[in-house]
Amino acid sequence: MPQLHLRSEESSRPTDVSRAISRAPGKIILAGEHFVVLGAPAVAMAINLYSEVKVTPKNSPGVDVDADIPLRFLAGKNRNSGVSDPRQLLRPLQLAAEATLKQVVAKDRGLRVNVECEIPVAAGLGSSASTTVAIISAVARSRGIELSRKKIFKLAFIPENFLHGKPSGVDQAACIYGGLIRFNRPSNVRTVRLEKEPAIVVCDTGIHHATGTLVGGVVRKSRREKKDFRDYIAKVRDISNGVVNALREGDDVELGVLMYQNHDLLRKIGVSHPKLDHLVEVARRAGGLGAKLTGAGGGGCMIVLCRSTRDRDRMSRVLRREGGTPYKVSMDATGVESQSA
Ligand code: MEV
């Protein structure tokens, strides 16, 4: 497996450029969520749902943030997102911009950050990581600096820690590098070359969650149930490595089996939800090769591995009839990118 190509140096000649745009993908996790926080490897794929960021100068100091993000989950019964006021969602975005400004030693004017995000929020698809890395990249670019991916990764921990507690870093890595990655810890991120792209449907339950609360619950459980968790982590290590091999060899049948196994383990540790389990079962009965929750769980999204790209239409119809919102996604191969505007 080739090591990721990490550009080590940012260009060191800040200019007076002050407008920039950027784009970063969302992500799905094919194996290893939650267990990655405890030391197991995870496998994640960047997907073609995007956040776009525009940075413009303003005459007063400080950072203003505007965001157009899908906030429908805050309505009605979806209260377990952990967000009571939509403006709370803007604070990590502002932190991302401020931390970047500090990094690029820009002490002059303030700036305005405009975020447009098409990724459902608090649904396990990496909306916060995507917006964060897009902001970091665009703010640096607005000062004429192209940050290395490694540096974007490091900076993204500031807003991600603020929002999620102690995340592993897999979400931001997927959004930064694009394509498919095996993530074990921040110093061990590798790209995976695919034999063929898996035909995936993502399906949103419409029930949203707070990643930090779910992760904290699993970490506490792992301390109480040490022996069980040692077994789970060993199993997930095998599953994630098996998923990498299946993807490299284009073995969809094996990949699907491993996805179902991973879902069962996630159920065992209590991060699934009846609607996720129902949709996974519906997908299995409808001939899905594999299905599992993706991301933090507790609602959010599940993913289905279909027999072919064309079969995704049929699977999407089946899932929609059962109350899910399906997205036919494909892999984003680029990751975060920015340019002066
Ligand atoms: C969330 O997309 C993935 C989790 O494993 C959290 C993390 O890795 O930080 C649940």
Side-chain angles (χ1 to χ4, degrees):
M1 209 183 303
Q3 193 74 33
L4 275 177
H5 177 224
L6 303 175
R7 276 176 287 165
S8 56
E9 290 302 321
E10 58 266 30
S11 72
S12 58
R13 208 165 44 83
T15 65
D16 207 17
V17 179
S18 52
R19 284 170 192 269
I21 52 172
S22 68
R23 185 179 87 153
K27 65 91 192 52
I28 56 173
I29 297 191
L30 290 164
E33 52 272 270
H34 284 288
F35 299 99
V36 67
V37 177
L38 305 169
V43 184
M45 184 172 96
I47 56 170
N48 62 339
L49 290 173
Y50 294 98
S51 317
E52 288 181 353
V53 168
K54 199 167 12 160
V55 172
T56 48
K58 68 181 178 79
N59 288 329
S60 50
V63 175
D64 291 352
V65 181
D66 285 319
D68 182 1
I69 39 188
L71 291 174
R72 64 186 184 284
F73 75 96
L74 289 175
K77 57 186 161 59
N78 289 323
R79 294 198 184 283
N80 48 355
S81 64
V83 181
S84 53
D85 176 351
R87 278 170 310 182
Q88 273 177 263
L89 288 169
L90 299 185
R91 183 60 190 138
L93 306 185
Q94 197 176 29
L95 273 178
E98 286 167 357
T100 311
L101 279 178
K102 225 184 255 167
Q103 177 73 30
V104 300
V105 211
K107 47 190 173 324
D108 50 353
R109 293 163 301 174
L111 44 83
R112 184 164 286 118
V113 176
N114 181 270
V115 181
E116 278 185 33
C117 177
E118 61 178 350
I119 307 164
V121 172
L125 300 182
S127 61
S128 74
S130 170
T131 48
T132 288
V133 304
I135 288 173
I136 293 169
S137 180
V139 169
R141 181 71 77 169
S142 76
R143 296 303 193 254
I145 291 174
E146 184 183 353
L147 286 181
S148 67
R149 293 176 163 196
K150 211 172 177 177
K151 203 148 258 173
I152 297 174
F153 178 78
K154 227 169 137 187
L155 278 170
F157 271 114
I158 296 170
E160 285 289 277
N161 286 349
F162 175 84
L163 198 61
H164 300 312
K166 224 170 171 306
S168 64
V170 63
D171 289 12
Q172 74 231 42
C175 301
I176 290 167
Y177 293 110
L180 202 110
I181 59 165
R182 177 188 186 275
F183 180 101
N184 203 354
R185 52 182 178 277
S187 59
N188 189 351
V189 186
R190 286 156 191 252
T191 51
V192 178
R193 259 185 233 288
L194 290 175
E195 172 63 26
K196 66 179 169 68
E197 195 180 315
I200 299 277
V201 171
V202 171
C203 185
D204 192 348
T205 60
I207 297 156
H208 295 273
H209 60 227
T211 298
T213 312
L214 286 154
V215 171
V218 172
V219 170
R220 282 193 296 281
K221 195 174 169 69
S222 74
R223 290 192 190 123
R224 289 195 305 271
E225 300 170 21
K226 285 204 175 75
K227 190 185 158 320
D228 285 347
F229 268 79
R230 261 200 305 276
D231 291 350
Y232 300 153
I233 289 168
K235 281 191 182 128
V236 171
R237 179 165 290 116
D238 289 346
I239 289 174
S240 288
N241 290 337
V243 162
V244 167
N245 288 336
L247 286 162
R248 291 166 87 190
E249 286 160 17
D251 186 345
D252 276 355
V253 172
E254 176 66 6
L255 175 58
V257 168
L258 293 167
M259 286 168 67
Y260 284 127
Q261 285 177 9
N262 196 165
H263 184 72
D264 285 343
L265 283 170
L266 289 161
R267 277 185 69 176
K268 267 197 180 134
I269 63 167
V271 294
S272 192
H273 182 280
K275 191 156 176 190
L276 280 170
D277 294 340
H278 175 66
L279 291 174
V280 166
E281 203 38 49
V282 165
R284 191 197 301 267
R285 275 190 266 117
L289 292 174
K292 63 182 280 293
L293 70 82
T294 189
C301 290
M302 50 85 73
I303 52 175
V304 186
L305 176 64
C306 301
R307 289 176 187 271
S308 65
T309 311
R310 274 179 42 213
D311 192 37
R312 296 189 311 172
D313 291 331
R314 184 187 63 87
M315 186 60 78
S316 298
R317 281 195 299 275
V318 171
L319 294 169
R320 195 186 296 282
R321 270 202 304 272
E322 297 293 324
T325 305
Y327 298 84
K328 286 175 281 174
V329 297
S330 42
M331 186 173 79
D332 164 273
T334 314
V336 66
E337 48 187 355
S338 63
Q339 63 187 69
S340 317

